[in-house]
Amino acid sequence: MAAADRVGVVFVSHSARIAEGLVELARQMAPLARLVAAGGTDDGRIGTSFDLVNAGIAEADAGAGVVILCDLGSAILTAETALDFLDDETRARVRIVDAPLVEGGVAAAVAAEAGDGLDEVVAAAESARAPAGGAGATETGVDAASVAAPPTKAAPHATHTRQVTLINADGLHARPAAELVKLASTFGQRVTVNGTDAKSLLGIMSLGLTKGATIVIASDDPDGREAVDAIAALAESGFGEH
Amino acid sequence: MGLDITWAVDWVRRSADVIAEHRVELIKLDREIGDGDHGENMDRGFQAVLPKLDDLPAGSTPGDVLKLVATTLISTVGGAAGPLYGTAYLKGAVAAGSATSLDGSAIAAVLTAARDGIVLRGKAESGDKTMVDAWTPAAEAADAAASNGSDVAAVLGAAADAAATGSDATIPLVARKGRASYLGERSAGHRDPGAQSSALLLRAAAEAASAAAGA
């Protein structure tokens, strides 16, 4: 998929360096996504700039939509004001997401990289609202993702299951987790990893899987075999790290 | 007698003067409960409007002046005050429409629209220790004065008085919106800088109206 077809992500921060740093961080996992930094004022001070946010939206918008993530108060006000000035057609595909800037931004970037639509990218960013780590994050990640995915319950009797031992020295850290989510997102069927939605980056990362851990890849979809096998093969290959 | 373009331009010039004059006071207020940039940001914004006043085309209306202030503040202020005041002036400009002269009722409508714009943008309510605590009593006082048939200078005078009282009333409040809300109980005992700058700007509007009436 060409970058032109992807949803764009704009990071609005009071600090130019925070916004640029976030693009740099997210770019590691989403090298092709349209990620734009809109931090600081026009003349490089701490603050937010209507003109920079406006230009950022234009740069990020390829027609598939734009997700905006903001830091403190006035960043949201500036972004909302910028939306007011857009024409109706453009405004309809631009969303300000209330989510943590770092976690939400990375999740949105990965979803955008995978070619997800606007609603899915918004859901991915919102999945970061739960407290970091723990069961809460995992559950919320699953819930948010299932808004977009068909509302199937996690099946106690999965139709297709594969079990793989994680061989990566650093465990399932950000980059391989993103690879897994990107691959899972290319399939229409619902797939889980240790019970967590394989399309939820934050859900997968919060599993905290280390080297030697057993990964259970499962799908209760009758057509899920291909997806399960592909993810199992990716895991067995060490996510390209070996 | 209504207020025309001359009043609108005079209001902006007086606003720039009064904000420059109170720049340090606003910085000090904001430093106590915010990030300390309100005076500097507002000063930069209004100073940026001044040269643009000279470029207004002939036949411009008070609404055109308000719109010019709106777009300039949105682009230059940088803090929360940019979008908040920008939206206020923009909604005020829409309420003023293309009228060349604004009477008491029209001015009350402009102030009410501006207040509604601030509420829409900032989602603050009365008592949250924000600009709204100056603007809501100001809009209500203007509306009451206009309904009583007061002249336009008296309408703005009533609004300015109410805004000043509203600004004073923010002192004991605990902030529930904006940067000051992070301080919780510690925000009590300090005047809200946004309510204070609002009171200053409305006083400038009233003084410009008195000057126009005396001319």
Side-chain angles (χ1 to χ4, degrees):
Chain A
M1 169 167 293
D5 303 318
R6 291 185 169 89
V7 172
V9 181
V10 178
F11 295 98
V12 182
S13 170
H14 278 60
S15 156
R17 287 193 285 170
I18 287 179
E20 284 158 14
L22 280 165
V23 168
E24 200 182 350
L25 172 66
R27 176 90 57 221
Q28 275 210 309
M29 286 169 267
L32 301 176
R34 307 178 71 93
L35 310 176
V36 181
T41 62
D42 293 350
D43 47 358
R45 288 172 299 108
I46 291 287
T48 49
S49 157
F50 171 81
D51 294 330
L52 281 177
V53 174
N54 223 6
I57 293 169
E59 189 185 336
D61 182 25
V66 176
V67 168
I68 304 176
L69 289 114
C70 306
D71 65 2
L72 307 168
S74 76
I76 298 166
L77 301 188
T78 302
E80 286 176 350
T81 308
L83 251 62
D84 277 357
F85 280 78
L86 295 176
D87 61 74
D88 291 346
E89 192 200 331
T90 310
R91 193 188 308 117
R93 59 172 185 263
V94 179
R95 308 266 183 84
I96 299 171
V97 180
D98 177 16
L101 193 54
V102 179
E103 294 87 344
V106 169
V110 170
E113 175 85 7
D116 284 356
L118 182 58
D119 289 340
E120 288 80 12
V121 176
V122 168
E126 288 176 343
S127 72
R129 277 197 206 140
T138 305
E139 280 166 16
T140 307
V142 171
D143 289 344
S146 66
V147 171
T152 45
K153 281 194 164 186
H157 307 294
T159 313
H160 307 284
T161 306
R162 287 280 300 272
Q163 199 163 313
V164 179
T165 301
L166 187 63
I167 57 172
N168 293 60
D170 296 326
L172 200 60
H173 63 90
R175 197 201 57 82
E179 294 294 324
L180 189 155
V181 170
K182 272 190 267 180
L183 180 61
S185 300
T186 63
F187 294 95
Q189 297 82 17
R190 180 180 154 86
V191 181
T192 59
V193 170
N194 293 6
T196 292
D197 186 344
K199 295 173 187 173
S200 165
L201 178 70
L202 296 161
I204 295 299
M205 287 181 71
S206 62
L207 289 173
L209 296 171
T210 52
K211 186 183 179 186
T214 299
I215 310 174
V216 180
I217 303 149
S219 176
D220 52 14
D221 191 307
D223 300 323
R225 177 181 296 282
E226 199 192 338
V228 169
D229 286 347
I231 294 169
L234 178 70
E236 281 168 346
S237 78
F239 297 88
E241 290 189 340
H242 289 259
Chain B
M1 197 206 91
L3 297 172
D4 59 11
I5 176 82
T6 311
W7 162 78
V9 169
D10 189 31
W11 176 22
V12 178
R13 293 196 195 285
R14 286 172 186 267
S15 298
D17 285 349
V18 76
I19 292 294
E21 194 183 317
H22 290 265
R23 181 175 168 275
V24 174
E25 177 201 333
L26 293 173
I27 288 172
K28 186 171 167 288
L29 290 175
D30 196 26
R31 196 167 282 157
E32 285 165 355
I33 57 171
D35 50 10
D37 61 4
H38 189 57
E40 195 185 328
N41 286 343
M42 290 295 286
D43 190 29
R44 185 186 326 99
F46 272 97
Q47 292 303 320
V49 183
L50 291 180
K52 296 184 183 179
L53 291 173
D54 301 329
D55 299 334
L56 280 168
S60 293
T61 63
D64 293 328
V65 175
L66 297 179
K67 202 169 181 179
L68 176 69
V69 174
T71 53
T72 309
L73 293 185
I74 288 170
S75 293
T76 56
V77 170
L84 288 168
Y85 273 120
T87 305
Y89 280 91
L90 200 62
K91 300 293 182 190
V94 172
S98 55
T100 54
S101 176
L102 304 172
D103 62 12
S105 311
I107 283 290
V110 165
L111 296 186
T112 301
R115 188 274 313 271
D116 291 348
I118 293 166
V119 170
L120 170 88
R121 180 65 64 228
K123 295 164 187 88
E125 296 168 12
S126 292
D128 282 351
K129 195 179 181 94
T130 71
M131 293 162 66
V132 173
D133 293 318
W135 279 92
T136 293
E140 287 171 358
D143 198 40
S147 303
N148 290 339
S150 299
D151 69 30
V152 69
V155 168
L156 276 171
D161 290 346
T165 307
S167 170
D168 291 345
T170 63
I171 295 174
L173 296 176
V174 172
R176 289 195 298 250
K177 282 277 175 189
R179 199 70 71 89
S181 63
Y182 298 149
L183 294 174
E185 298 287 333
R186 280 175 293 153
S187 64
H190 301 278
R191 181 188 297 273
D192 179 66
Q196 181 63 358
S197 61
S198 299
L200 293 172
L201 294 174
L202 288 168
R203 179 63 65 198
E207 287 173 0
S210 299

